[in-house]
Amino acid sequence: MAKWGMVIDLEKCTGCQACTMACGMENSRLPGEHWQDVIFYNEGEYPSPQVKWFPRPCMQCENPSCVAVCPVRATYKNEDGVVLVDWERCIGCKYCMVACPYGVRFYTEEKPAYGGPDMKQVFKGEQGRSWNPPWRMPDSKEDWKHGVGVQPHDVVSKCTFCYHRVSKAPKGTADLDPSNPALREFTPACVVTCAPSARFFGDLSNPNSEVSKMIGNKNGVRLLDHLGNKPQVYYLTGVGGAVPSNRATNKA
Amino acid sequence: MIAIREPKDFAEVFKYLGELRREVGTAEFLRICFNLGKEPSAAGTWWKLCLVLGAASGLFVLTMLITVGHASFNTSSDGINWGIAISTYVFFALTSSGLTMIAALPLVFGFRQFQPVAKRCIYLAIITLVAGFSVLALELGHPFRMLWAMPTGMQVQSPMFWMGVFYSIDLVLLIWKFYLIWQEDWDSPLAHLLGAASFVCVIFASGMLGMVFGSVAMRPMWFGSFTSIYYMLTAALSGAAAIVVTSYMAYDFNRNRMPEPLKALAESPDLPKVFATLIGIALVMILTRFWTGLWSNLDGMEGFHALVRDPLFHAEVWLGLALPFWMMLSPSMQTQPGKQLIAAFLVLGAMFINRYEFIVGGQIVPMFKGNWVSSLISYTPSLTEWALTVFGFAMALGLYALGEKVFHLSAVPDQAVYPEPAKA
């Protein structure tokens, strides 16, 4: 079994949001409902203000609080270390959203996050889907047991590490490198699309994987590590990058 | 003339209703049902009001849920996840637990002077829990799915799972206990066992409801074992307030109409003393919670500063708790019916604000949203959410009026011997 994880090099990330767009197209996200997002935030005050950005997918935690709190076991961690939601079990209680420290879970039934028009009304859902985006993935790839595709009404959704791609990767693959044509179609969309190649995806349990080596050699750090959720997404800060030490709330 | 009071079982109820319809005709039968009896009564007035209010708010909520869905709520993934519907559920669930705790005073711990409110407490505990569950069901995305997904999932790590387990057991025990009291079985070994089991169950249920919030370390305004204790003790307070209000309500807010045992309890300082003690405990807990909250620089605690600037918070603490505390401590005021009622109403209002402020307030610091949500989150419940709250209250009050009419809720065991009420 693999233990899929991601490494994001913050010195390379330009904050272009291409990953956010690619994720939205790949996973049929509602506008504003970003499974993958680049958070912009500011720290410090005049004369030393800092404007920063920070790419934030689901952290796919080793100790996911969302899994522990789900009263119906709809959220679970699969054998490859990915946290998924079974949309056929989810009761929409939103406890996982309350318990997630990273704010990466989304409830279907909400007012438009971006102010409208409401895409769910413009593209009305069919066959149990909450809406019917014109760019949605082929029906054959939709997999509600693993939270893949356009979600039904009244459930919670989240980043799946592109489960529909990654789960098809050849067994024993150490790294899913998008520059390798043989592996590209198994690599998460955000990693494939990242123009400055700031994202890396591989097996954290494999000592020979590039991601394992990068974390070890370049001091990979995790977001809000003090909470003990142990994300499987690591960040390389180098000289110019920084991981927010708190919720990235404007304290000024 | 057909009359019904304390039917033996539901068969008797339906038999009576059938006979009544045949006797007076359908139109008159419906009028009697709407009025909850042939003669006007306090319970009948409450029933009518709640029927109209409950039907209007319930229909509105259902229409909105069918046409717009839960998007008609002002909750959001980037904002407040749990809004006023959840705080209303918590208010009812904890009031139910508190009522069971008050009922345990005579039924488990032997304080017989509280026996006149025991049956009413148990009945109210049932209907407040039912009202709470109803509000929760309308808030949940898939309430019916929960019925099979929870037992088949067996996610024993989840406090919400255990909350469901304990409140379900609690409801069954309460109904069973009420049935025994209805059958005038107050003192059998089974009645004692059920009373004790029910008390233990609500301690776990209210504590586990607290743990739903207290277990999430990433919400520091909730985190800690304090929350469970806080929920248990403030549950007892809202239960005490609810039983004072409803006991008076049953007799048109006139103590002189009460049957002797209940009147004796209302005139004695025993209930006000319990009430004042519980208000005092709640005040101390709120003080310590806000003290640490305002003092701490921990990320995520900023919400406390916003809460103390909220007029609702001050209404809760000064008007809803401090004033009733003083009223119920003062020997000259604590036994006056008007003062008891005002104190109980104020405390109930304060507890409703408290649940709202605790639950919504605990989420106002955004959870890692950067500059997309850069300041504290503002939240105002939508019309649908308010209607759902009104529906919950109409349901609880309406069912209470029905119970008041059908059952002898002030009943006491025949052989009861009452201690001389203490003089104020």
Side-chain angles (χ1 to χ4, degrees), chain A residues 17 32 37-42 54 56 65 67-73 87-95 97-107 109-111 113 120 153-155 223-224 227 229 244 246-251, chain B residues 68-78 81-82 139-143 145-146 148-150 152-161 211-213 215-220 222 299-300 302 363 365-372 374 382:
Chain A
Q17 294 278 24
D37 202 351
V38 180
I39 302 288
F40 283 75
Y41 64 103
N42 53 293
F54 186 77
R56 186 237 56 201
S65 41
V67 170
V69 300
C70 176
V72 292
R73 225 182 264 276
W87 285 335
E88 290 170 359
R89 282 192 83 85
C90 178
I91 59 171
C93 71
K94 298 185 265 188
Y95 196 7
M97 290 164 62
V98 166
C100 171
Y102 306 106
V104 297
R105 288 177 159 261
F106 301 89
Y107 189 58
E109 252 55 50
E110 286 180 1
K111 293 183 173 67
K120 284 183 289 193
H153 289 283
D154 287 302
V155 295
L223 182 59
L224 305 183
L227 289 172
N229 280 29
N246 55 34
R247 298 166 186 236
T249 307
N250 186 359
K251 306 268 176 121
Chain B
V68 186
H70 283 97
S72 57
F73 286 21
N74 279 352
T75 48
S76 81
S77 302
D78 285 345
N81 303 151
W82 283 343
E139 198 273 348
L140 281 180
H142 292 280
R145 186 179 288 176
M146 180 183 69
W148 63 261
M150 229 160 176
T152 57
M154 289 303 287
Q155 177 50 293
V156 294
Q157 282 183 303
S158 169
M160 194 182 273
F161 171 83
M211 212 176 135
V212 166
F213 302 94
S215 61
V216 283
M218 56 295 300
R219 303 272 184 185
W222 291 341
D299 180 45
E302 300 90 328
Q363 301 169 75
V365 182
M367 195 73 102
F368 212 81
K369 300 290 179 183
N371 283 355
W372 304 154
S374 61
S382 70

Side-chain angles (χ1 to χ4, degrees), chain A:
Chain A
M1 294 295 117
K3 180 184 171 186
W4 294 120
M6 193 179 283
V7 172
I8 303 177
D9 189 336
L10 294 176
E11 277 198 313
K12 286 186 182 173
C13 175
T14 61
C16 69
Q17 294 278 24
C19 47
T20 307
M21 294 308 294
C23 171
M25 298 302 282
E26 176 75 20
N27 292 294
S28 315
R29 291 302 84 212
L30 277 164
E33 186 196 66
H34 301 141
W35 280 2
Q36 147 63 45
D37 202 351
V38 180
I39 302 288
F40 283 75
Y41 64 103
N42 53 293
E43 285 187 340
E45 291 174 25
Y46 179 83
S48 313
Q50 303 164 42
V51 176
K52 299 177 178 179
W53 57 89
F54 186 77
R56 186 237 56 201
C58 168
M59 299 290 140
Q60 313 289 351
C61 307
E62 283 176 31
N63 297 328
S65 41
C66 54
V67 170
V69 300
C70 176
V72 292
R73 225 182 264 276
T75 280
Y76 60 100
K77 199 162 169 69
N78 82 345
E79 62 277 13
D80 290 328
V82 182
V83 176
L84 299 166
V85 185
D86 180 346
W87 285 335
E88 290 170 359
R89 282 192 83 85
C90 178
I91 59 171
C93 71
K94 298 185 265 188
Y95 196 7
C96 54
M97 290 164 62
V98 166
C100 171
Y102 306 106
V104 297
R105 288 177 159 261
F106 301 89
Y107 189 58
T108 321
E109 252 55 50
E110 286 180 1
K111 293 183 173 67
Y114 49 87
D118 189 348
M119 291 298 163
K120 284 183 289 193
Q121 297 301 320
V122 178
F123 302 105
K124 287 202 182 289
E126 295 166 352
Q127 297 171 315
R129 295 184 184 98
S130 57
W131 68 308
N132 189 28
W135 59 83
R136 74 165 196 264
M137 67 169 61
D139 288 1
S140 58
K141 285 193 177 179
E142 216 165 59
D143 178 3
W144 284 5
K145 285 274 172 208
H146 297 95
V148 173
V150 181
Q151 72 269 37
H153 289 283
D154 287 302
V155 295
V156 172
S157 70
K158 69 178 282 296
C159 157
T160 63
F161 260 2
C162 282
Y163 174 83
H164 55 291
R165 297 167 74 112
V166 173
S167 59
K168 305 286 189 301
K171 297 293 171 212
T173 306
D175 289 282
L176 288 172
D177 180 358
S179 63
N180 179 350
L183 297 175
R184 192 178 171 86
E185 66 179 299
F186 309 122
T187 310
C190 58
V191 181
V192 173
T193 208
C194 182
S197 297
R199 288 175 180 249
F200 306 89
F201 195 84
D203 184 356
L204 298 177
S205 65
N206 186 334
N208 296 316
S209 69
E210 284 303 315
V211 284
S212 298
K213 289 178 192 167
M214 273 192 276
I215 293 164
N217 297 337
K218 295 185 176 178
N219 302 325
V221 292
R222 302 189 279 203
L223 182 59
L224 305 183
D225 216 7
H226 63 280
L227 289 172
N229 280 29
K230 298 189 177 175
Q232 287 175 205
V233 174
Y234 286 76
Y235 294 90
L236 307 180
T237 57
V239 179
V243 173
S245 54
N246 55 34
R247 298 166 186 236
T249 307
N250 186 359
K251 306 268 176 121

Side-chain angles (χ1 to χ4, degrees), chain B residues 56-386:
Chain B
S57 55
L59 277 176
F60 177 72
V61 170
L62 280 180
T63 309
M64 291 305 284
L65 286 182
I66 290 165
T67 55
V68 186
H70 283 97
S72 57
F73 286 21
N74 279 352
T75 48
S76 81
S77 302
D78 285 345
I80 299 295
N81 303 151
W82 283 343
I84 196 170
I86 295 295
S87 75
T88 305
Y89 158 69
V90 170
F91 171 78
F92 279 125
L94 290 182
T95 304
S96 168
S97 300
L99 285 158
T100 314
M101 292 176 199
I102 301 290
L105 288 175
L107 301 178
V108 179
F109 300 109
F111 295 101
R112 285 183 173 262
Q113 63 270 43
F114 292 102
Q115 229 159 15
V117 292
K119 190 173 178 183
R120 184 172 280 108
C121 275
I122 300 282
Y123 181 75
L124 275 171
I126 295 170
I127 59 169
T128 43
L129 198 52
V130 168
F133 279 161
S134 305
V135 172
L136 182 64
L138 289 166
E139 198 273 348
L140 281 180
H142 292 280
F144 295 111
R145 186 179 288 176
M146 180 183 69
L147 300 176
W148 63 261
M150 229 160 176
T152 57
M154 289 303 287
Q155 177 50 293
V156 294
Q157 282 183 303
S158 169
M160 194 182 273
F161 171 83
W162 287 110
M163 177 197 79
V165 167
F166 284 119
Y167 269 119
S168 302
I169 297 173
D170 179 32
L171 186 60
V172 172
L173 290 177
L174 283 170
I175 292 171
W176 195 355
K177 180 76 190 163
F178 185 77
Y179 178 77
L180 289 189
I181 295 179
W182 180 8
Q183 304 302 315
E184 295 184 3
D185 174 5
W186 292 75
D187 269 324
S188 71
L190 177 64
H192 284 288
L193 180 70
L194 272 181
S198 180
F199 177 72
V200 172
C201 191
V202 290
I203 292 293
F204 278 110
S206 54
M208 205 48 81
L209 180 52
M211 212 176 135
V212 166
F213 302 94
S215 61
V216 283
M218 56 295 300
R219 303 272 184 185
M221 289 176 73
W222 291 341
F223 180 58
S225 58
F226 170 85
T227 306
S228 283
I229 309 289
Y230 181 69
Y231 269 32
M232 286 176 202
L233 292 172
T234 52
L237 175 58
S238 48
I243 195 60
V244 173
V245 167
T246 49
S247 295
Y248 276 99
M249 196 185 274
Y251 299 98
D252 221 5
F253 300 107
N254 186 346
R255 189 192 278 174
N256 293 326
R257 293 190 187 175
M258 290 180 179
E260 201 43 52
L262 183 61
K263 194 176 166 202
L265 175 63
E267 285 171 349
S268 86
D270 291 349
L271 196 55
K273 276 180 186 166
V274 171
F275 200 20
T277 308
L278 291 170
I279 302 173
I281 291 171
L283 275 170
V284 170
M285 295 188 90
I286 288 170
L287 178 74
T288 54
R289 178 170 180 252
F290 274 79
W291 194 317
T292 50
L294 292 169
W295 181 84
S296 174
N297 289 330
L298 182 67
D299 180 45
M301 299 285 252
E302 300 90 328
F304 280 108
H305 293 274
L307 285 180
V308 290
R309 285 195 294 269
D310 188 345
L312 268 183
F313 169 75
H314 293 280
E316 173 202 337
V317 170
W318 305 114
L319 194 64
L321 292 170
L323 178 65
F325 183 57
W326 174 60
M327 286 161 80
M328 289 299 98
L329 268 189
S330 155
S332 61
M333 283 196 272
Q334 63 184 183
T335 53
Q336 290 179 27
K339 300 292 188 300
Q340 286 183 351
L341 252 177
I342 290 169
F345 267 120
L346 288 174
V347 167
L348 265 189
M351 284 293 102
F352 185 76
I353 297 172
N354 183 280
R355 307 310 178 203
Y356 178 83
E357 163 252 308
F358 187 94
I359 288 158
V360 173
Q363 301 169 75
I364 56 176
V365 182
M367 195 73 102
F368 212 81
K369 300 290 179 183
N371 283 355
W372 304 154
V373 190
S374 61
S375 55
L376 296 181
I377 298 165
S378 64
Y379 162 79
T380 312
S382 70
L383 192 60
T384 312
E385 288 171 279
W386 274 119

